[in-house]
Amino acid sequence: MLLLTAGLGLFIVPHFFREMQLRDALVSRLGEGAYKGLYSLLSLLGLGLIIYGKSRAEFIQIWTPLFDTRWVSLVIMFPSLVLVTAGNLPASALRTTFNHPMLLGVTLWALAHLWVNGDLASMLLFGGFGLWAGIKYCVLPSQPSIAPNRWDAAALVIGCAGYVVLVPLIASLIASLIASLIASLIASM
């Protein structure tokens, strides 16, 4: 759990440098290129620790998700993927309507995963990302409005494609892991 928590800290803290009034000071001291290199290094190191830490974290059940309501997570993931896509494309009406759509999409992604994961490591992971994105979404200044354009259509198409490809892929991966676990349990009897 320590590696997961350290990774979340290394990833999230640099993403708050602007709000902590550190970004401009670090850029003036280190230079733009060195600052971006340090920022990227900390973020990648944090991401690596998050992945490794989550994979090694002890499973500690905090609450039991309701099996019959897991479909809610699938419903929430659709707008999440569209918003994350819109946040990574050039200016679009989705980008200005939702102010910072990637942050809103990450918040929805985190909520969707918190809904179906009741273990401590998942709560740290998705809760940490959800809090980070939710806070950033609320404190960043709004963007000027623009009319809908081709980037909105691209966000919808790419988001839909991501949903259609990722959801069945992840579901089949989970199903195969469960099947192999059951097979190993039966073999050990």
Side-chain angles (χ1 to χ4, degrees):
M1 220 58 83
L2 182 61
L3 290 175
L4 172 61
T5 307
L8 285 166
L10 275 175
F11 185 86
I12 291 172
V13 168
H15 284 81
F16 277 119
F17 280 174
R18 182 184 338 186
E19 289 74 25
M20 295 186 302
Q21 311 302 318
L22 291 174
R23 184 188 185 283
D24 293 337
L26 286 169
V27 168
S28 66
R29 176 173 282 181
L30 302 172
E32 185 80 24
Y35 167 78
K36 287 181 177 179
L38 177 64
Y39 180 91
S40 299
L41 181 66
L42 289 173
S43 296
L44 285 172
L45 181 60
L47 195 57
L49 283 173
I50 289 168
I51 293 166
Y52 185 74
K54 175 73 166 88
S55 72
R56 298 286 182 218
E58 180 183 352
F59 186 85
I60 301 170
Q61 189 76 36
I62 302 297
W63 71 286
T64 304
L66 300 174
F67 183 79
D68 292 341
T69 61
R70 67 178 184 224
W71 60 269
V72 172
S73 180
L74 293 173
V75 171
I76 295 171
M77 282 303 297
F78 178 73
S80 169
L81 289 170
V82 172
L83 289 168
V84 167
T85 303
N88 286 288
L89 292 175
S92 68
L94 281 172
R95 188 180 200 110
T96 58
T97 301
F98 292 105
N99 199 16
H100 298 281
M102 181 171 172
L103 293 172
L104 185 56
V106 170
T107 304
L108 291 174
W109 167 83
L111 290 172
H113 286 80
L114 282 170
W115 183 259
V116 294
N117 293 286
D119 63 292
L120 180 59
S122 293
M123 292 177 79
L124 286 171
L125 174 63
F126 302 118
F129 272 105
L131 281 172
W132 160 72
I135 291 168
K136 288 280 283 194
Y137 183 80
C138 292
V139 300
L140 286 176
S142 61
Q143 301 173 1
S145 296
I146 62 171
N149 58 48
R150 63 189 168 132
W151 294 113
D152 295 305
L156 288 170
V157 168
I158 294 168
C160 287
Y163 186 82
V164 167
V165 170
L166 289 176
V167 170
L169 180 68
I170 293 169
S172 67
L173 178 66
I174 291 170
S176 66
L177 287 171
I178 291 171
S180 65
L181 178 65
I182 291 170
S184 66
L185 286 173
I186 292 171
S188 67
M189 294 179 141

